[in-house]
Each structure stands twice: as structure tokens, then as C-alpha cells.
Amino acid sequence: MSSDYAIAQFRFLERLLLVHGHWCYRRISMMLCYFFYKNIAFGLTLFWFEGFASFSGRPAYNDWYMSLYNVFFTSLPVIALGVFDQDVSAHLCLEFPKLYEEGTKNILFSWRRILGWMLNGVICSMIIFFGTTNSLVHQVFRKDGQPVDYGVLGVMMYTCVVWTVNCQMAISINYFTWIQHFFIWGSIAIWYVFLVVYGSLSPIISTTAYKILVEACAPSPFYWLVTLVVVVATLLPYVTHRAFQTEFHPMYHDQIQRNRFESLNSDFAEESSDRGKQKVHL
């Protein structure tokens, strides 16, 4: 008989369960919920656009935008989450074994939590679509006085989606490493690099994306302003929910994180006070 794990002594089982068991459960739960969220946030913008276009069959995005969404623009941060995220340190996992109950009670992957992330995706898709379309109605966008066309609208919506889902990852994880920073902000940068490279190809190949960033979107301050406002608006519901939950209905790991933060602040204050007294004596 083979097994997934082999341990030399039973004393190693404590760290395997309480530390790595808790981390793995949290990573997998968060990763799956985030997959639901990011694909709903992206997919429903297509649905809202079809209604906006009277179900004429006009595509909201260029074909390559949709093909590369889960390949380059949003996949790497999820990998970093599933490998590196830690809500508390290994020492605290051993000090507070009750954390392991989050897995046995299925707190982080309950239907309530899954539906909450799905609802977050629905809200984000609505804010992205209606925020971009309403801001661009009868809006002069180019220097020559031409209004926004469907190609610019698609790029603006897609930009907001890429920024939103990656920033959502940034505010959801608990443990930042340089790899996570590289994956999150690098995924956003890849989107702009792709627009420049793909848009520089022949119009026969790039179709609606031909020089759309260089000539239409990037020179317009309105493009950057709408992106900023819409992305901030999409993140506000989650930030508000987490602030309310942490303050009034904290989970067990939230309480440990707060106690750890308060103890570090008190230690820093005492150390600063001691240094001040030493300077006075000198």
C-alpha cells in the first residue's frame, strides 16, 4: 500500500497537520473561490454587453483578449496564492492549534463563502460594464473629435477587468513575497505590452486592436481616469465587507492577526521609549 505522506516519527505529525494542513486548506479554498470570482467578473461583462448591443452578436472583446485571459493576465497570481500564501506563521499555527478547526468545520469553503465570492464577481462585472459605458456616452475621446468606438470600449472594459481581478488578489492575500508582487503587477504589465505588440501587427491580424493603445487609449487622460475610478469602485465592496467582518465578526485567524499586530506595536513603542530614556541619561 502506498500513501501520500510518510513520516519517520509521530512527533512530525503535529507540524504536518497544524501548520501545513492549515496552510494548504486555506490556499486551496481561497484559490478555488478566486477562480469563481475572476471568471464571473470577466464573463458577465460579455453578457451585459450583449444586452447593450441588443444581442446582435457583436463581440465585446478581440478574440485574443478572451483567449489569453486565463493564460497570461490572471493565472500567475493564482499560482502564487496556492504556493506561498500564509495567514499566520508556522509558530502561531503550533501555538494556536484551534486554527486547524477551520478545515475540519469547512469554514473557508462553505457554500456561504463560495456564493459570497460569486456575488462579488457579479457586482464587479456590473460596476465595470456600466461604469465604463456610462462614462463614455457622447464622450469625445480622440484628438480629432471622434467619439469612442467599440474597439476602445472593449479595451477599456478589459483593462478594468485585468486591474480589478489582480488588485483583488493583492488585497486578499496575507503574505507578500517578491514573487507575488512580480506575478500580480507583472500580469497587469503584460496586458499593456500585449496591446502594444499585438496592435503593431498588420490590421489583417490585429483587427480591432490595431494601434489602439498607442494612438487611441494611452494619449487620452480620460482612459486612465476611468480605469482608476472604476477599479477603485469595484474594490470598495470587498474592502468594506472585510473591514466590517474583521471589526465586528472576526474569524479566529483574524483575532490572531490582530493580537499579533497589537503586540508588535506595543513592543515597538516600549523599545522606542527605552531608547528615548537612554538618550536622556546620556
Side-chain angles (χ1 to χ4, degrees):
M1 297 293 291
S2 61
S3 61
D4 295 330
Y5 298 97
I7 55 176
Q9 300 178 20
F10 275 108
R11 64 187 179 90
F12 298 145
L13 186 62
E14 179 184 24
R15 185 176 181 86
L16 178 65
L17 291 178
L18 299 184
V19 178
H20 298 286
H22 171 72
W23 284 348
C24 288
Y25 169 72
R26 180 176 180 81
R27 291 166 181 170
I28 294 174
S29 301
M30 183 65 187
M31 184 174 64
L32 293 175
C33 289
Y34 181 78
F35 264 114
F36 285 120
Y37 158 78
K38 77 183 185 72
N39 287 300
I40 289 175
F42 173 64
L44 283 184
T45 58
L46 298 169
F47 177 77
W48 306 131
F49 181 83
E50 287 301 319
F52 177 76
S54 301
F55 296 95
S56 62
R58 177 186 290 272
Y61 306 119
N62 187 285
D63 291 340
W64 280 105
Y65 299 173
M66 293 186 286
S67 299
L68 299 179
Y69 178 75
N70 281 315
V71 179
F72 293 117
F73 307 138
T74 61
S75 60
L76 295 179
V78 182
I79 297 175
L81 169 70
V83 176
F84 298 106
D85 193 38
Q86 301 175 12
D87 55 343
V88 295
S89 64
H91 170 73
L92 291 176
C93 286
L94 295 173
E95 185 177 351
F96 299 97
K98 190 178 178 181
L99 277 170
Y100 186 71
E101 292 185 0
E102 289 186 344
T104 57
K105 295 181 179 179
N106 202 25
I107 294 175
L108 301 180
F109 199 60
S110 61
W111 274 110
R112 180 179 179 182
R113 193 171 180 87
I114 295 172
L115 293 176
W117 274 99
M118 294 174 69
L119 177 62
N120 188 24
V122 174
I123 294 173
C124 288
S125 70
M126 295 178 67
I127 294 175
I128 290 171
F129 175 77
F130 292 106
T132 53
T133 53
N134 290 329
S135 64
L136 297 176
V137 173
H138 307 303
Q139 178 69 38
V140 175
F141 194 77
R142 300 176 186 263
K143 292 181 179 180
D144 56 6
Q146 294 183 7
V148 174
D149 56 18
Y150 283 105
V152 173
L153 176 61
V155 169
M156 187 169 291
M157 284 198 303
Y158 199 93
T159 301
C160 292
V161 171
V162 171
W163 270 98
T164 296
V165 298
N166 282 290
C167 289
Q168 177 70 64
M169 172 64 73
I171 63 177
S172 299
I173 61 178
N174 296 277
Y175 184 71
F176 261 111
T177 64
W178 70 268
I179 298 177
Q180 287 157 313
H181 278 293
F182 179 76
F183 282 173
I184 291 173
W185 312 122
S187 297
I188 298 174
I190 289 174
W191 160 240
Y192 291 109
V193 173
F194 168 77
L195 275 182
V196 173
V197 175
Y198 183 55
S200 64
L201 301 178
S202 169
I204 300 175
I205 300 174
S206 59
T207 61
T208 59
Y210 180 68
K211 294 187 177 180
I212 197 165
L213 180 67
V214 176
E215 294 186 356
C217 295
S220 173
F222 192 73
Y223 166 77
W224 304 105
L225 177 62
V226 171
T227 301
L228 175 63
V229 173
V230 170
V231 171
V232 171
T234 55
L235 297 177
L236 276 178
Y238 178 81
V239 173
T240 304
H241 165 71
R242 280 295 294 152
F244 180 85
Q245 182 186 53
T246 305
E247 183 67 26
F248 300 104
H249 299 285
M251 290 187 285
Y252 191 60
H253 67 269
D254 292 328
Q255 299 174 14
I256 295 175
Q257 289 175 343
R258 173 179 290 184
N259 293 336
R260 177 63 174 170
F261 179 75
E262 292 175 351
S263 64
L264 289 175
N265 283 343
S266 62
D267 293 342
F268 178 76
E270 291 178 0
E271 184 178 352
S272 299
S273 177
D274 293 339
R275 289 179 180 178
K277 291 179 181 179
Q278 290 177 1
K279 290 182 179 180
V280 171
H281 289 306
L282 290 175

